[in-house]
Amino acid sequence: YGSSGINAEYGLRLTHADASNTDVTDEGFRHIRHVAHLQTASFSHCTHLTDAALPNLSSSASSLRRLDLSGTLITPDSLDALSRLTSLRLLNISGCRELENFRELVLET
């Protein structure tokens, strides 16, 4: 195990994560890249979270179904990373000031 407590060789079997209203940062978010089975994640109102954090979700691309990024600092630049989350069915981006023009995001089923 590394200093983060996550086994990098096998990954962590975490399926649900809720860090809403915390001070998680882009740097701290990088540890999630070792989580390969994440199904739901909420980072609502994590006001230090930016576009730089989102590529770290790639290891959960085939399992992540629900993601709450409401009230974060993500911008339209993050949409490419989000489009790689092939199992995503629900994405909450409400309250993201840089995404105000995206009133509705339709995900294909």
Side-chain angles (χ1 to χ4, degrees):
Y1 291 99
S3 61
S4 67
I6 296 174
N7 184 325
E9 181 180 352
Y10 299 107
L12 184 65
R13 290 270 181 192
L14 184 69
T15 57
H16 306 284
D18 187 349
S20 299
N21 298 302
T22 66
D23 291 327
V24 68
T25 63
D26 295 340
E27 178 64 22
F29 200 83
R30 70 182 172 84
H31 295 290
I32 206 164
R33 72 175 178 255
H34 299 295
V35 182
H37 305 284
L38 195 60
Q39 294 175 14
T40 63
S42 181
F43 300 98
S44 174
H45 296 86
C46 292
T47 57
H48 302 291
L49 209 57
T50 71
D51 299 331
L54 297 183
N56 291 304
L57 289 171
S58 63
S59 62
S60 293
S62 65
S63 62
L64 191 61
R65 298 191 186 301
R66 301 171 63 103
L67 179 60
D68 187 347
L69 296 172
S70 60
T72 63
L73 299 176
I74 63 169
T75 72
D77 293 339
S78 66
L79 297 179
D80 183 56
L82 292 171
S83 72
R84 298 172 196 267
L85 302 175
T86 57
S87 293
L88 198 61
R89 296 295 174 256
L90 177 72
L91 174 62
N92 186 350
I93 55 173
S94 63
C96 297
R97 285 179 274 165
E98 297 294 325
L99 296 175
E100 286 179 351
N101 292 331
F102 295 89
R103 298 254 182 234
E104 184 175 309
L105 184 61
V106 178
L107 302 174
E108 293 181 18
T109 56

